[in-house]
Amino acid sequence: MKLNSLVLYKNTAAYVTALSAPAKYTIRYVSTPATATKPAVFSEQNVREKDVLFLSDGCTSLEAVLNNAKVAPAADDMYNTDCNNSLAQSVKEVWELLSADEETKTAELSFDELWELLSAARNADDAYLMYCALSNTVYFKQNLRAQMEGRLVYIPRPQEEIDSLIQKANQKGMEAELHAQFIERLKKHALLPEDSRFMGDVEALALGKTDKSRTMHDAHIKETPERAHRLLLETGIWDITRNPYPVRWGLALQSATEGLGPAPEEERVTVDSVAYAIDSQWSADPDDAIAFDGTYVWVHIADPASSVLPGSSIDNAARERGATLYIPERTSRMLAEESLSDYALGLSEVSKALSFRIQLAEDGSIADCQVLKTNVRVKRLTYEQADQMQQSAELGKLFEIAQKNTERRKKSGAVQIDLPEVHVSVEPETKAVTITPDVHLTSADLVREMMLLAGEGAAKFAFTNNIPFPFVSQESPDIPQDIPEGLAGQFRLRKCMRKRSVGVTPGMHAGLGIAMYSQVTSPLRRYSDLIAHQQLRAFLDKRPLLDKDTMLLRISEGDAASVAAHKAERESIRHWTLVYLLQHPDWQGEAVCVDKSGRQPQFCIPSLAFETFFTPSTPVELNQSIQVKVLQINLSELACDFVQVE
């Protein structure tokens, strides 16, 4: 190569400006192509001979070369067999000439040889023009092996290969045209039924599976999950009943599939007293039951840890889920659905349980707690049924113990917060939403106190026996003196509460008023409870225990998934509440002012368990109720504006 030679550098034109050493050159090339508003940026680079491909000697300048190349036929022209571009026609004619002869139809031609056939009067400044034409054409293909050796060599393509390439190009062009037409319809929100095939990337963004959408980018729509959700609603691809939040949080919508099998046969204590599993009428996985035999309080808990060993495939899958996902339209269980019949309490004549036998002191505190593997007879009751048995021989004493435990905890600083709760359900076929306010029953307090006694007793048992255990603690809340009465006071108390923490050292759970506490009562649906049971069972069976670091690592992994499930549940309930309001456009209800410290008053709508901010048309005081109706709903943003009914 010489000075002023034209070469290819990274498949673009470059101009030799200096010879720095044998087989080493300085070249000038376009580092930043020109735009409509900015000229091209030229740069120089030192290269070796093997880094470039020679095109021609004697070029005038790089600018002249690039200027001549502007008339090169585009790729679309080179694929068009009827193109009237003269250079494109010349390429086609040369191919026809070569293909007509058996000896030349598969011949290899160098760039110079092919250029000579294409142009009788060769101009060095046209070399790059010719290269571009041959790069784009459908009639010749480049020998890549020769290019790796530093040579530009071309071979005529056979007719069938040309036909295939042209067909693919036509299909691509047709798809591009169809996509352009789709984008125009999308901008006008006038999609055709078949346009749903173009919306896959929008759905992926709405479900949190990607953070980009070519469709939304091309339509100049902001690429966010919320905006994608809104677009799918506006175009009718989704209807209002599509709930994206569990998938957006990366959660499985189906229950775990690997079954536990029946609990293993092992030595168990048979408990004579009948225990009562008290739960809501829609509960399908009872995992706790309570009894009092005259001496001991018994809290029986489902025993899946008898089969789920630490580090097993079922254990790992449960840890990935963190908790059972409860959303209004379905339940996605942490453990396989088929396992309920073997492990939930009260679904068979005799249930296998891990039981906490608690002896109480005169003041109601725990004097002793033992953990036993048991066989127990369990009778299921709804909260309403249990409430009717407050004075019965079966439950009367338990209600007394529960009340005494509540008073004991309050003396230790327990904070009881009572906020409106509802049950949101979705009819599977019609997707009709029903919202039923939860009526607070005394039996719910009974169950809560028994579960707290079990958690406190388990923590004491683990601490006494030096078992590495997930102790749950909470710092004392900073409660001001001016807590208002009523619902506003309950919301103020909620703001004061600190976040709970899990560690291997027991500490005060100030919110519960318990000096030492752990959660152990939901191993079928909460991974942290399951791992606590695994530790207790390993101790009872004299098997190796998980060390503190391993246990905490597994709990933190399970808690991360559990937090995602909790957020998905909260957002799903809000979603379906808004769907309920959309299904009932004439809805009106009571809203209670619970806070006036912000820019707008905060209201709670008890019948929906819904919190919102808005400025009413008349001034309100804390705990004052007003009648409200819906002004507008933005389902994709989970937002609803209310106004006062005049």
Side-chain angles (χ1 to χ4, degrees):
M1 283 185 286
K2 306 173 183 177
L3 286 176
N4 306 332
S5 288
L6 182 69
V7 296
L8 286 175
Y9 176 64
K10 296 182 178 178
N11 291 324
T12 191
Y15 192 66
V16 177
T17 59
L19 306 175
S20 53
K24 290 188 178 180
Y25 311 92
T26 301
I27 60 170
R28 185 167 181 260
Y29 68 102
V30 177
S31 56
T32 305
T35 65
T37 57
K38 295 182 180 180
V41 176
F42 293 85
S43 300
E44 290 200 345
Q45 176 76 31
N46 293 326
V47 297
R48 298 165 297 178
E49 185 170 350
K50 67 177 184 178
D51 296 328
V52 296
L53 285 171
F54 175 78
L55 285 180
S56 177
D57 284 329
C59 297
T60 306
S61 66
L62 182 58
E63 287 79 355
V65 167
L66 296 175
N67 187 59
N68 286 3
K70 289 179 181 178
V71 299
D76 289 346
D77 292 332
M78 301 305 288
Y79 275 69
N80 183 358
T81 56
D82 297 323
C83 177
N84 58 11
N85 180 283
S86 60
L87 183 53
Q89 280 292 336
S90 296
V91 172
K92 180 182 178 182
E93 290 169 2
V94 169
W95 173 83
E96 290 174 341
L97 178 65
L98 294 172
S99 298
D101 190 314
E102 288 296 328
E103 293 185 5
T104 58
K105 65 187 301 183
T106 58
E108 293 190 351
L109 295 91
S110 69
F111 175 73
D112 278 344
E113 289 171 332
L114 197 48
W115 184 7
E116 188 171 351
L117 291 173
L118 288 169
S119 176
R122 295 199 299 169
N123 179 357
D125 288 346
D126 288 337
Y128 188 56
L129 164 65
M130 292 297 173
Y131 171 77
C132 292
L134 292 172
S135 296
N136 290 337
T137 186
V138 71
Y139 293 105
F140 292 91
K141 58 184 175 183
Q142 194 173 328
N143 186 323
L144 297 181
R145 181 179 295 277
Q147 180 176 337
M148 294 176 63
E149 297 171 354
R151 298 179 295 120
L152 284 175
V153 174
Y154 296 88
I155 307 169
R157 279 195 171 101
Q159 183 66 57
E160 58 271 19
E161 188 175 332
I162 293 172
D163 292 343
S164 176
L165 289 172
I166 291 175
Q167 183 181 8
K168 290 178 181 178
N170 289 338
Q171 290 175 345
K172 185 176 180 181
M174 187 180 300
E175 283 292 323
E177 178 62 25
L178 290 174
H179 187 266
Q181 293 172 1
F182 155 71
I183 292 296
E184 289 304 312
R185 291 193 296 273
L186 179 62
K187 291 177 180 178
K188 299 174 183 177
H189 291 168
L191 295 188
L192 300 173
E194 59 268 24
D195 285 336
S196 59
R197 69 188 180 100
F198 292 113
M199 296 288 283
D201 61 328
V202 179
E203 291 193 89
L205 178 56
L207 294 171
K209 295 181 177 180
T210 181
D211 58 357
K212 299 291 183 184
S213 165
R214 179 198 166 193
T215 297
M216 295 177 69
H217 177 271
D218 291 348
H220 306 295
I221 300 172
K222 187 176 182 181
E223 297 168 74
T224 66
E226 295 78 15
R227 192 63 187 86
H229 186 181
R230 178 179 171 184
L231 183 60
L232 291 164
L233 292 172
E234 291 172 342
T235 54
I237 303 297
W238 284 5
D239 64 23
I240 60 173
T241 63
R242 182 65 181 269
N243 173 17
Y245 298 101
V247 176
R248 194 178 290 180
W249 282 103
L251 304 173
L253 292 178
Q254 305 300 324
S255 297
T257 56
E258 186 177 355
L260 280 63
E265 293 299 325
E266 57 184 332
E267 185 176 349
R268 290 179 179 269
V269 175
T270 298
V271 181
D272 294 330
S273 55
V274 174
Y276 297 88
I278 305 170
D279 213 331
S280 59
Q281 60 185 0
W282 47 78
S283 172
D285 52 358
D287 55 2
D288 56 72
I290 58 176
F292 180 67
D293 64 4
T295 302
Y296 300 109
V297 171
W298 288 88
V299 181
H300 306 287
I301 308 298
D303 192 17
S306 61
S307 295
V308 183
L309 298 179
S312 65
S313 58
I314 297 177
D315 180 62
N316 294 338
R319 193 185 320 144
E320 288 180 3
R321 290 173 178 264
T324 290
L325 174 68
Y326 295 99
I327 53 178
E329 67 269 40
R330 67 175 63 199
T331 298
S332 175
R333 300 191 186 280
M334 182 182 78
L335 299 175
E337 191 92 30
E338 65 187 49
S339 302
L340 290 181
S341 59
D342 289 316
Y343 293 91
L345 302 185
L347 301 187
S348 57
E349 185 176 349
V350 176
S351 298
K352 294 179 170 60
L354 190 67
S355 300
F356 299 86
R357 191 187 70 184
I358 301 169
Q359 186 174 15
L360 299 175
E362 284 296 322
D363 62 356
S365 62
I366 296 178
D368 180 63
C369 177
Q370 295 299 315
V371 181
L372 305 168
K373 294 180 288 185
T374 62
N375 291 315
V376 59
R377 289 176 295 138
V378 176
K379 181 178 180 180
R380 298 188 66 188
L381 297 173
T382 65
Y383 287 126
E384 290 79 7
Q385 290 171 328
D387 248 40
Q388 300 301 315
M389 299 174 63
Q390 291 188 52
Q391 307 302 322
S392 67
E394 295 89 345
L395 295 181
K397 184 62 178 178
L398 283 170
F399 275 99
E400 292 179 17
I401 293 170
Q403 179 59 36
K404 192 170 186 178
N405 198 55
T406 300
E407 294 170 358
R408 176 178 71 95
R409 292 191 303 104
K410 285 182 178 179
K411 290 178 182 178
S412 297
V415 179
Q416 187 69 36
I417 300 175
D418 185 16
L419 296 175
E421 295 182 5
V422 298
H423 177 70
V424 182
S425 59
V426 179
E427 203 286 321
E429 296 298 325
T430 65
K431 301 298 182 183
V433 183
T434 302
I435 299 181
T436 307
D438 284 343
V439 178
H440 187 84
L441 299 174
T442 307
S443 56
D445 295 335
L446 162 65
V447 173
R448 180 195 66 219
E449 295 303 320
M450 294 300 107
M451 298 307 106
L452 292 178
L453 280 173
E456 183 179 4
K460 289 179 178 290
F461 181 86
F463 182 71
T464 300
N465 291 286
N466 199 30
I467 301 171
F469 212 62
F471 296 101
V472 183
S473 60
Q474 185 184 46
E475 293 183 8
S476 297
D478 186 12
I479 302 176
Q481 296 295 321
D482 59 342
I483 293 291
E485 299 293 326
L487 194 55
Q490 298 300 299
F491 273 82
R492 185 76 61 84
L493 281 174
R494 188 181 69 176
K495 284 185 176 181
C496 297
M497 302 308 294
R498 307 286 181 87
K499 189 177 180 180
R500 72 160 204 164
S501 62
V502 179
V504 294
T505 303
M508 181 72 184
H509 195 301
L512 297 177
I514 297 176
M516 188 183 300
Y517 178 67
S518 182
Q519 287 185 311
V520 295
T521 57
S522 296
L524 286 177
R525 48 189 170 184
R526 209 161 45 206
Y527 182 74
S528 58
D529 296 40
L530 178 62
I531 204 170
H533 275 230
Q534 290 173 341
Q535 290 292 83
L536 292 171
R537 275 191 137 270
F539 174 80
L540 296 177
D541 296 340
K542 296 181 172 54
R543 290 185 282 108
L545 300 165
L546 293 178
D547 61 73
K548 294 179 179 179
D549 290 341
T550 301
M551 183 191 66
L552 282 180
L553 177 62
R554 293 184 180 182
I555 287 176
S556 66
E557 291 172 352
D559 276 355
S562 178
V563 167
H566 176 71
K567 291 179 178 178
E569 289 170 356
R570 184 177 61 197
E571 291 175 352
S572 295
I573 289 172
R574 191 172 181 92
H575 167 85
W576 286 109
T577 300
L578 296 183
V579 172
Y580 171 84
L581 293 174
L582 288 168
Q583 293 174 346
H584 298 81
D586 297 328
W587 176 92
Q588 292 187 10
E590 177 191 53
V592 181
C593 180
V594 295
D595 190 6
K596 295 179 61 179
S597 62
R599 293 174 57 186
Q600 287 185 304
Q602 181 182 5
F603 289 86
C604 172
I605 301 175
S607 63
L608 303 176
F610 197 90
E611 300 169 29
T612 185
F613 294 84
F614 70 94
T615 302
S617 55
T618 58
V620 293
E621 300 299 326
L622 286 180
N623 293 316
Q624 181 179 340
S625 296
I626 62 173
Q627 196 75 2
V628 297
K629 63 181 180 180
V630 175
L631 176 62
Q632 62 180 2
I633 293 173
N634 185 337
L635 189 61
S636 64
E637 298 283 350
L638 292 179
C640 182
D641 294 332
F642 294 87
V643 293
Q644 186 174 0
V645 177
E646 299 296 340

